[in-house]
Amino acid sequence: HRVDRRQRQMCIRDRDWRGERHEVWVKEEGFNYRGRDFASLSQVAFAITGTKWNGPAFFGQRKAGRP
């Protein structure tokens, strides 16, 4: 059975934050975290922490600050 490209998702990153595991799924347009869609990883990081973060840095995809 063939899966429509729009239905395919893959886990981009998981992160432990304050003792809890957080998984983010990449979609064709944006990200999904616990059933909610987000336009950026920074928005997901804010949803998890309640403070502004650089999303890629929060999920360990790059160092914080400018490369």
Side-chain angles (χ1 to χ4, degrees):
H1 138 295
R2 191 174 172 164
V3 177
D4 186 320
R5 277 186 54 177
R6 290 170 293 179
Q7 294 175 344
R8 275 191 279 169
Q9 297 181 355
M10 62 180 219
C11 183
I12 187 172
R13 197 51 92 174
D14 57 1
R15 162 84 194 246
D16 288 325
W17 178 258
R18 296 193 174 169
E20 190 173 347
R21 172 75 52 167
H22 300 274
E23 292 182 347
V24 178
W25 299 84
V26 66
K27 298 175 63 172
E28 196 164 312
E29 292 185 18
F31 304 91
N32 185 279
Y33 170 68
R34 295 187 175 173
R36 292 178 50 203
D37 291 333
F38 295 87
S40 71
L41 281 176
S42 296
Q43 290 175 342
V44 177
F46 182 83
I48 293 170
T49 67
T51 60
K52 289 187 178 184
W53 274 84
N54 174 290
F58 180 80
F59 286 98
Q61 292 182 303
R62 70 175 198 171
K63 293 181 179 179
R66 298 251 178 223

